[in-house]
Amino acid sequence: MMQQEAAKKLSQAPKTAFQEPPLKFRAARYTAIVKEVFDITPTYPETYVIRFTFENLPQVFDYQPGQFISVFAEKDGKSISRPYSVASPPESKEHMELAIKVVEGGFMSNYLHRVAPGTKLRVIGPLGRFILLEPPERDIMFVATGTGVAPFVAMLGHIFSMNYDVELHLVFGVRY
């Protein structure tokens, strides 16, 4: 009897408080070509933007604002990857941008900070389910710190280009 009740509870899907947005695009492997890297905060915490296009693509691949890509590099003969949220809105087709904070002792953030224009990077994307439910049904408040603001920057740009009639607020906290 107890097993039947437990099985019945497991078979009933829990109700969520919100509707999860559908993913429109599947991840694939790409070769990104670095166009430029520039600092946006030159002092601690050092933060920069890396801008790139894609090899064999006429424009930036399609993604939903809030998604991320994984960037690969070689370290000590091994391939490592790190996820980075896309900071540019999907309507920006001439390049893709990532906003990255330099992590003291961190391999990838330091490597990408010093990478030369023209460098080719292996990436996989788009990835992630942290995306907008569209069209937004109510006003929106984003809360972020540091480079955690990147997906919201992409979302804000997308909302502006879609002319959604919502009020937007961004609360951005910093330590220093």
Side-chain angles (χ1 to χ4, degrees):
M1 177 89 163
M2 297 280 282
Q3 288 179 343
Q4 290 174 340
E5 288 177 25
K8 184 178 178 181
K9 284 183 182 179
L10 286 175
S11 68
Q12 296 173 348
K15 294 181 180 177
T16 58
F18 66 95
Q19 180 184 356
E20 193 170 282
L23 287 177
K24 298 177 185 174
F25 308 107
R26 296 189 59 132
R29 296 177 188 273
Y30 299 95
T31 300
I33 304 169
V34 175
K35 291 299 174 194
E36 63 181 319
V37 179
F38 55 93
D39 291 334
I40 54 176
T41 61
T43 58
Y44 182 82
E46 203 169 3
T47 306
Y48 61 95
V49 168
I50 183 168
R51 195 175 273 169
F52 50 89
T53 58
F54 294 93
E55 188 174 74
N56 301 323
L57 289 181
Q59 60 184 19
V60 171
F61 65 81
D62 290 322
Y63 60 95
Q64 291 169 267
Q67 289 190 296
F68 67 93
I69 64 170
S70 283
V71 180
F72 291 80
E74 296 295 320
K75 179 184 178 191
D76 301 328
K78 293 183 180 179
S79 179
I80 63 165
S81 70
R82 295 291 181 272
Y84 293 104
S85 294
V86 178
S88 50
E91 291 77 16
S92 174
K93 295 297 187 183
E94 63 278 357
H95 59 261
M96 181 178 279
E97 293 180 345
L98 306 177
I100 301 173
K101 179 176 78 171
V102 174
V103 176
E104 188 176 330
F107 169 75
M108 189 69 83
S109 67
N110 284 282
Y111 169 74
L112 293 175
H113 191 209
R114 293 186 291 275
V115 71
T119 300
K120 293 182 179 183
L121 303 168
R122 293 180 300 127
V123 300
I124 294 178
L127 299 162
R129 300 192 64 82
F130 183 64
I131 55 178
L132 286 173
L133 180 59
E134 293 187 68
E137 297 174 356
R138 57 182 63 103
D139 296 340
I140 300 172
M141 177 178 283
F142 298 117
V143 179
T145 62
T147 55
V149 75
F152 299 131
V153 170
M155 290 179 188
L156 289 167
H158 176 68
I159 290 168
F160 293 145
S161 59
M162 296 299 291
N163 290 317
Y164 288 136
D165 186 23
V166 292
E167 190 171 309
L168 301 169
H169 300 274
L170 172 61
V171 178
F172 181 63
V174 293
R175 195 178 300 179
Y176 301 99

